[in-house]
Amino acid sequence: MNDVTPATALTQREVLLHALYEAAELEHNLMCTYLYAAASLKDGEREGLGAEEAAAVRRWRQVLVGVAIEEMGHLAAVWNITSGLGGSPRFGRSNFPLDPGLLPASVVVKLAPFNADTLQHFVFLERPHGSAEPEGGGFAYERSYVRGGTSGARLTPMGVNYDTVGDFYAALGQGLRALVAHCGEANAFDGDRALQLSPEEVNLPGARHVVCLKTALTAFAAIVEQGEGAPRDSVGSHYQKFLGIRAELQALTERNPAFAPAFPAATNPVLRRPPRPEGRVWLENPDAVATVDLANACYGLMLRLLAYAYAVRGPSAEKSLAVDLAIGLMQAVMPLAERAARLPAGPSNPQCNAGVSFITLRDSAALPPGPAARRVFVERFAQLADGAAPLRASGDARAVAAADQLASLASRASKGFDLSAAVPGAAAAAVAPAPAAPAAATAGAAASSEPAAASGAAPVSTVSGGVETAQGERIELEFEAKRCIHSRFCVTGAPQVFLANVKGPWIHPDAMPVERLVEVAHACPSGAIRYRRKDGAPNETAPPVNLATLREAGPYAFRAALQIDGAPAGFRATLCRCGASKNKPYCDGSHHEIGFNATGEPPGGKTDMLPVRDGVLAIDPQVNGPLRVRGNLEIMSGTGRVVARVTSTYLCRCGGSANKPFCDGTHAKIGFRTG
């Protein structure tokens, strides 16, 4: 495009990509500022709040974290549009605080703790076009600056001026229309869609493939409506949510002028002595420095993983693993951010506490896909887990939570990336059924269905690792108590074998014909009862169709070659969906105690027949989040009706989703915890 005029400032592909890089930085920056403010909020009565105040602050934290997650969805949408245009998405950004000129003068971005001024700043950032809302106190630039100021056409991409975020996206939309009009839709959106993020990898509304002008403009519209709100009084927009918090804050402050909902975290904390100290807080307290250092390192690796996900074609196990690990790292960052906000900054700044600084790497671009990149990730996760050990020793609950999360992620990265080149085969081998015995052996077994003659001797039972094993002549039975949901198929279907309410041995494998006993074991939905044939007959095998049945007001009942949290888990399992189990991810019957209400007959969704209906089903419980399910799966209602057929999905396990059985992000808004 050589015809350049001021009217076509955003119509060239190179200029549009440059503007999309700024859009990514903007959404990225906003996400960090909202998380920073959320981390500074106090935690209920134990940190000096009254009951009414504590309830309000809990709601505010949920709103701020929820808005930050939605900003992450906006960021994914911008990345996908960039990729759709053939560009490489922008993952880096400038460190806080941003200097004038990086964004228009009307968009000031810095890290600050929650207070009335910061909240007003958030209202101002998300305001609709034409709003008279003022900027928050202390957030205006020291001197005015307007980008641009030169006339005439430019080939060099430069930042454009805009008053609101909505104005910026409107200009981007106009540029996309002009690009399509000039070179055609197919030529404009010629990026490899397999490089974009999709619901196959992440449960974010913005992670939808962008393949044409309509899908790109729809993404822009969703960003604006979710942020500013359209129409202006749109319920649920960020703007309206922040207005709601502002009204509550004002009312509570009027009743208690001493109300302080947050800790005095630093404004723009930095880890090294800044060459320009104005507007920055240098952290000197060793405990705070160690906490922020670890949080920043986690954040940096998170960006590398997301960048890598955009360099790997999907759907694939490696792409999904990179995204899952990145999300897991953010779940380690938040407790560290909360801890930093509660620690003193140091002697040079006795008036404030510390805070995580979200330092970015000098370059967060994707590593070249392949074994070397996987090795970098595995090494880095091990370093982070080791670095968390001294913080764990402090005994602080937030430090321990972060250390546990990093240890879990390091283990998962080591297993996942080592196997990423051949995950399907490795996973299948891990959960494959034992091979059938040779024909000669099975012939001699006579498929005996008669019980053994009573010998009067008690069965031999052993207990190891929470699993009780009872030896019979033709079959070995296992019972794992922690997986039992008391469905009673055993004590009603085989009452001579499973003796209820007795002292001493209660499992008698030889008291019933072995074939009938196998059928009873197969009926156990939780997998608490398993068996091994000793008579040469085949052991249990994977079902021909992978199923997840929704129990009315109860758990998920899975039947498949299961791999749960990276480990083989047999062929049957009942997993919690009420959020209350003390044995997560397994159900422990807590849904009865809490009066959980969830239909087993939800409306149907996508039910196109899958080309393959069996195979390994990998279920990865997300920390403080849903069940990440990958593999061929038919989701059934309690009466056997097909609800959906999927190959990748997120299933709610907080109990709060309005779209059960699927996750809708409610876990983040209600503060769901899995530990």
Side-chain angles (χ1 to χ4, degrees), residues 144-180:
S144 62
Y145 176 84
V146 179
R147 294 201 298 189
T150 59
S151 60
R154 292 287 185 274
L155 284 171
T156 304
M158 293 185 180
V160 297
N161 223 40
Y162 48 88
D163 290 328
T164 69
V165 175
D167 293 338
F168 184 32
Y169 282 112
L172 282 168
Q174 292 173 3
L176 283 176
R177 290 186 183 95
L179 178 65
V180 169

Side-chain angles (χ1 to χ4, degrees), residues 412-585:
R412 188 172 176 193
S414 179
K415 291 186 291 186
F417 280 120
D418 280 352
L419 298 175
S420 61
V423 167
V431 295
T442 56
S448 176
S449 59
E450 295 302 318
S455 63
V460 177
S461 295
T462 59
V463 179
S464 176
V467 178
E468 182 175 354
T469 302
Q471 301 292 342
E473 182 178 341
R474 299 183 179 89
I475 195 170
E476 173 186 284
L477 288 178
E478 290 184 349
F479 175 72
E480 188 173 1
K482 72 175 184 178
R483 289 177 64 163
C484 180
I485 62 168
H486 307 289
S487 56
R488 305 188 74 247
F489 286 105
C490 56
V491 296
T492 57
Q496 306 97 328
V497 176
F498 300 96
L499 308 183
N501 303 315
V502 299
K503 293 183 178 180
W506 68 284
I507 303 177
H508 298 261
D510 294 331
M512 185 176 186
V514 67
E515 297 299 338
R516 289 176 55 195
L517 182 54
V518 164
E519 292 176 2
V520 171
H522 289 172
C524 173
S526 68
I529 294 175
R530 302 183 290 272
Y531 68 88
R532 184 180 65 83
R533 298 289 291 259
K534 301 168 68 175
D535 57 4
N539 287 308
E540 183 175 4
T541 60
V545 179
N546 293 345
L547 298 175
T549 302
L550 307 175
R551 293 198 157 205
E552 184 75 24
Y556 301 107
F558 287 93
R559 288 182 179 269
L562 296 171
Q563 181 177 289
I564 299 178
D565 205 14
F571 304 107
R572 294 166 279 119
T574 47
L575 303 188
C576 174
R577 70 168 176 146
C578 74
S581 172
K582 301 175 183 62
N583 185 38
K584 296 182 184 70

Side-chain angles (χ1 to χ4, degrees), residues 592-664:
H592 297 299
E593 300 171 14
I594 68 171
F596 179 56
N597 183 23
T599 181
E601 299 291 331
K606 182 179 180 181
T607 57
D608 296 340
M609 187 64 70
L610 298 174
V612 179
R613 306 174 74 185
D614 60 356
V616 174
L617 189 70
I619 303 175
D620 294 310
Q622 306 294 288
V623 175
N624 302 331
L627 296 174
R628 175 78 159 96
V629 182
R630 282 170 285 194
N632 305 308
L633 178 66
E634 297 191 11
I635 301 175
M636 312 293 290
S637 73
T639 57
R641 176 178 52 84
V642 177
V643 174
R645 292 185 174 98
V646 298
T647 57
S648 178
T649 191
Y650 290 85
L651 297 179
C652 172
R653 65 169 178 151
C654 72
S657 173
N659 188 36
K660 296 183 186 71
F662 304 104
C663 171
D664 68 356

